Amino acid sequence: MIEISYEQIANPHFTQAIQKLYRTALSPRAAFFLRGVLLALNKHREAIRERYTVDIIEKYAVRDAAGAIVRPEGDPRGFTPVAGSESEAAQVAFGRNKATLPYRLALSDLGQMEISAADLDALAPILFLPEEGADPVGNVVPLAPRPQAPLGSA
């Protein structure tokens, strides 16, 4: 299991990058793991929307005379926060909450897929990325031995 923040789940670049990955032919193993991640993400997104409505919108939204939430024109999910409320701080704290995902993909699972650095950054929460001193598929690369001074020299 891995943890990912609500903020990362809601990041549009993360969503676009994972959809791009979903539409790409991968090895059966990678496709299986990606499918599990996507199913979990979809379940979390629904729960996050419900929790956001209760924890943020219901508490901080401007309401009309009838008590209904005032929505910005053209944005049926949005809301206008009450002036002077702690809405912004509450939203930042909400975004730090974590959800769990069942799998993480290895960079080598992407095979020969071409991927931008921006997509790689966006997908980092669900990828095993090589550590410094490792090759791109995650194998440790031994460091070259240091040259030593000949014996008897300074």
Side-chain angles (χ1 to χ4, degrees), residues 15-74:
T15 301
Q16 291 168 354
I18 204 162
Q19 287 173 352
K20 178 180 174 182
L21 193 58
Y22 180 74
R23 290 186 303 270
T24 301
L26 301 170
S27 71
R29 176 186 181 279
F32 174 81
F33 289 150
L34 180 62
R35 182 178 177 274
V37 166
L38 285 169
L39 289 172
L41 281 170
N42 289 338
K43 183 187 276 187
H44 287 307
R45 281 188 179 115
E46 186 175 323
I48 290 167
R49 268 192 296 277
E50 291 172 10
R51 187 171 170 197
Y52 186 83
T53 298
V54 171
D55 292 357
I56 305 297
I57 296 175
E58 293 289 333
K59 288 182 182 177
Y60 299 105
V62 170
R63 295 177 183 272
D64 63 17
I69 294 170
V70 176
R71 304 282 183 181
E73 190 173 322

Side-chain angles (χ1 to χ4, degrees), residues 1-6 9 36-37 40-41 44 98-103:
M1 295 280 188
I2 60 170
E3 287 190 336
I4 184 171
S5 73
Y6 289 4
I9 291 172
V37 166
L41 281 170
H44 287 307
K98 303 281 185 183
T100 58
L101 299 176
Y103 309 110

